[in-house]
Structures are given as C-alpha cells and as structure tokens.
Amino acid sequence: MLTLAGCILLTLPIFHDVLVVSTTPGPDVDFDSISAAISAASEGDLILVRSGQYGPIQINGKGLTVAADTGAEVILSGPTHGIFVSGLAADQSVVIQGLKLKATQATWSSVYDSVIVSGNSGSVWLESLQASNWVCKLRVLDSDSVILSGCKFRGENGPWISGYWSTSSDGGTAMWVQRSCVHLFGTSAMGGEGGLAPDNPQCGGADGDGGHGIRSYASELRMEASTAVGGDALDGWGVTAGSGVLLATGSKFVGRQSTIMGGKSSTGVLCAPSYSGVRFLNDGSSSVESIPGPAALFDGPGVVRPGESLAFNFQAGPGSWAYLLVSESTADLPLGDAGILHLLSPQILDLGPVGANGKLTWPTTLGLPPAPVTLLGLQAVAADPSIGAVIGQVRSLAWLAQ
C-alpha cells in the first residue's frame, strides 16, 4: 500500500528491480552502458541513467522503463538512430523519459531519424525527449498506442555542401506517422527549412521545400496543447514551405488547444518568391476535428525517493476541478470529446479547484512501500463547468525505495 498525505490508499504494482547506469564507476552502479542494462533487464525493470553520453539503445519485445535520474543530463549519440522500440505485445509497455538525442548525419543529404517506434501492439510512452544539438526526428510505424508527453521534435534544415545547397535539399519532416495511433500532450514538431542555392546560376534549380511538422498516413493523431509547424521555404522557383500537418490515406486528426501552422515563404530577394505552407495538407480522404476548450496538463518529477517532496503543477480551465488518475497499466479507451483514457482501472486523487490563472500546485508527501521501485502511470482530468470532463496529459512516475 502507498499513502499520499490527505488522500487515499493506493494498491500498486511492485516492479522487479532498479538497474543503475553511469559512465562513472561506483558501488551502486550496475552498468556503464544503457544497452548492457537493457540486455540484462527483466520484464518490468527500471533502468535509471545518470549524467553522461551513451550509445544508441534498442528495446525489442521487452517491457521496460528507461529514465534519466533526477537532474541528470543523459545524451544518446551514435552512428545511426538514438532510440529504437519494436515488437511489444499487447500486454507490454515501454516508458522512455528525460533523454536527449544528438543528431547523426546519415549522408551529406539526410539525417537519421532520432527515434523509431515500429511494430508495437503494446504502449510506448516517450516523455520529455528533445535534441541535444539541432535535430530530433521521430518515425512511428505500425504501433497501436504511442504517447508523446512534453517532447520536442525538429527536422533538419536543407544541407549545405561545398558552398552549394545539395540537389536534394528539402527540409526534414519532424514526425512521420504511418498506420499508428499517436497522442501528443505539450509536444512540438517543427519541420526544417528548405535549402537555398544562391550561387546556382539557374537561381532555384537546387532549392528545396520546407519540411512538414507532421506527416500522417492511415493513422490517428490526437493533439492537446501541442504545436506542429512547417519549415520555411527560402527563395526559389516553385518551392513551397512545409505544412503544419500533412494528412493522407484516411488519417484522422483531433486537436484541442493546439497550434498548427504552415511554414513561411520568401519575398524573392535573391531569386523568385516561394509559396507559403498551409496548416493542414489533406489528400481528401482524411478528417480534421477541433475540440473546444482548454486541455488538462500537469508536470512534476519523473523519479522520487524517500523524503523528497512531490508537487504536481496542474494546468486547466479556470474554475475547473482537478483530478489525477493513478494506475499501473495502460489502455486506450476513446471517450468522445473528453479525450482518451490511457490508464486501466485508475484510482482517483482529488487535487481541488484550479485558480483563476488556470493553474494549481498540489504538494504531497509519500509513504513508500519496501519494494525497490513502484512505477505509476498518471493522467490529468479536469471537470470543467463549461465543457464537462477533460481527459488530459499522461506522465509516468517512478517511486524508489532508495
């Protein structure tokens, strides 16, 4: 049992073990690489990573959590992709939290996808991922439930080679989604700028289009308090700035309190004007739905130890009543305009009223079980008097016994 002061008793799952990864040896360090920890881990283990630069990681068919320790700067860098998650069964889940991705050049004309999520029936939660230098791209393929919470993705700008922009100089798309269901909370996706060839005698023959914020094919996208922006197009004949969201082959888009923008065009100072991007580029087979009202968001630490205070910073419509759902496993239950419930059999914490500024800070203390780690899924809910219940942001929390 776990006690939250002033609230209720929660019966929570006990996860197997905590594996500590650090580039600095020590008596409490189990591995010096994340990959070695993943290979040794059992189903449900937590891999806790301390500050340092590490190689790429791959998780295939194993339910795990990989989290940066409190205050740690964890950077993944290598010759290919930074994170690859695949082969999860319906009853498995992976959580990756708080890592930074260092972009790697594939060739002179392209950059590898930083994160690939492919072929998963189980859920994948990516939380607070971002670039450590300039690019962080995501590709999701054939995955049934992907959560993006507080992440920042960006496509590469059109490349420059030997004083000229390459002949394949389109800006990179920040996020590709194919045959998948992806839910974004407080996440941004920005396409890269198209390349420019100012020294090209044809003045525009090698220019490139701006990259899209998100490209969706036969997929479902739900965005809450998130941003998708197309990359700008510079001077050039017939080049076009990127779209905020490209929808094709029967995709479905549902958005609440989100910003979707096409990239900007040029004025044609060097060559010819380019064309502005559009908010949505729809092939005609896809749907776009906008849900009114504010989203329900919250943030807080991802890892907590005994004696540490815990505060949830909740954000929702002024005058709404805040709740936090707590559970040990995930599910996707469409709830119409309310959103999607990502937690199975959740228990409810009553946080109280949201202030006139739309914010609420809820501090509490913890009574921890004796197990090495308890991993929770959390989801925000706001009972808004004007629009009803709003099912909101998802995050994870690891409570450590030491």
Side-chain angles (χ1 to χ4, degrees):
M1 296 287 248
L2 176 74
T3 305
L4 278 79
C7 292
I8 59 176
L9 293 178
L10 301 176
T11 302
L12 300 170
I14 302 307
F15 282 69
H16 296 157
D17 206 354
V18 181
L19 305 179
V20 177
V21 179
S22 176
T23 55
T24 303
D28 60 343
V29 174
D30 300 300
F31 299 94
D32 61 5
S33 81
I34 305 174
S35 292
I38 290 171
S39 297
S42 300
E43 184 80 16
D45 281 353
L46 167 68
I47 298 173
L48 192 63
V49 189
R50 295 177 180 169
S51 293
Q53 185 159 313
Y54 300 88
I57 63 174
Q58 181 168 335
I59 301 174
N60 183 18
K62 186 185 289 187
L64 297 171
T65 295
V66 180
D69 202 351
T70 303
E73 183 178 52
V74 178
I75 299 174
L76 303 186
S77 178
T80 55
H81 316 289
I83 298 172
F84 193 102
V85 180
S86 64
L88 296 182
D91 60 348
Q92 293 178 304
S93 64
V94 162
V95 176
I96 300 178
Q97 180 192 106
L99 309 186
K100 294 184 177 181
L101 288 299
K102 188 173 183 180
T104 302
Q105 197 83 2
T107 66
W108 58 268
S109 63
S110 64
V111 173
Y112 279 114
D113 295 315
S114 307
V115 183
I116 296 180
V117 177
S118 178
N120 297 287
S121 298
S123 64
V124 179
W125 291 17
L126 305 178
E127 305 174 30
S128 302
L129 302 186
Q130 60 181 306
S132 72
N133 51 359
W134 49 286
V135 170
C136 184
K137 301 197 299 183
L138 169 68
R139 187 177 294 262
V140 180
L141 305 167
D142 301 303
S143 294
D144 293 343
S145 177
V146 179
I147 303 293
L148 309 176
S149 183
C151 297
K152 297 179 180 179
F153 298 104
R154 195 185 193 288
E156 77 275 16
N157 293 337
W160 178 275
I161 294 295
S162 302
Y164 292 87
W165 295 98
S166 75
T167 56
S168 177
S169 57
D170 292 344
T173 291
M175 186 187 306
W176 287 74
V177 182
Q178 295 173 267
R179 301 174 301 277
S180 300
C181 181
V182 180
H183 201 155
L184 294 78
F185 299 99
T187 289
S188 63
M190 180 176 294
E193 289 183 355
L196 176 65
D199 299 325
N200 189 317
Q202 284 75 41
C203 199
D207 295 341
D209 296 334
H212 302 294
I214 303 174
R215 299 177 74 129
S216 173
Y217 298 89
S219 296
E220 179 175 339
L221 293 176
R222 295 186 70 99
M223 293 181 63
E224 302 203 26
S226 294
T227 302
V229 180
D232 295 342
L234 305 179
D235 290 13
W237 297 102
V239 296
T240 303
S243 304
V245 178
L246 181 152
L247 298 168
T249 56
S251 288
K252 177 182 179 181
F253 174 91
V254 180
R256 187 200 301 271
Q257 196 186 325
S258 292
T259 301
I260 316 296
M261 297 175 58
K264 298 177 182 178
S265 61
S266 76
T267 58
V269 173
L270 294 176
C271 297
S274 57
Y275 299 98
S276 297
V278 295
R279 295 179 68 239
F280 293 97
L281 186 60
N282 191 336
D283 68 351
S285 68
S286 302
S287 64
V288 176
E289 179 183 357
S290 179
I291 299 177
L297 304 176
F298 76 103
D299 62 30
V303 178
V304 178
R305 291 175 171 84
E308 295 179 348
S309 61
L310 173 62
F312 296 113
N313 300 306
F314 201 96
Q315 185 175 345
S320 59
W321 200 274
Y323 299 93
L324 199 62
L325 307 186
V326 183
S327 181
E328 76 277 9
S329 57
T330 63
D332 283 333
L333 305 176
L335 301 172
D337 288 351
I340 290 180
L341 181 64
H342 291 283
L343 303 178
L344 182 65
S345 301
Q347 299 181 63
I348 302 173
L349 303 182
D350 185 339
L351 307 191
V354 177
N357 63 353
K359 298 180 180 180
L360 165 68
T361 298
W362 188 76
T364 186
T365 57
L366 304 178
L368 289 165
V373 61
T374 302
L375 183 69
L376 307 180
L378 310 175
Q379 186 160 20
V381 174
D384 194 305
S386 61
I387 60 174
V390 177
I391 309 296
Q393 184 168 11
V394 169
R395 294 179 66 92
S396 65
L397 175 66
W399 286 351
L400 306 184
Q402 57 187 12

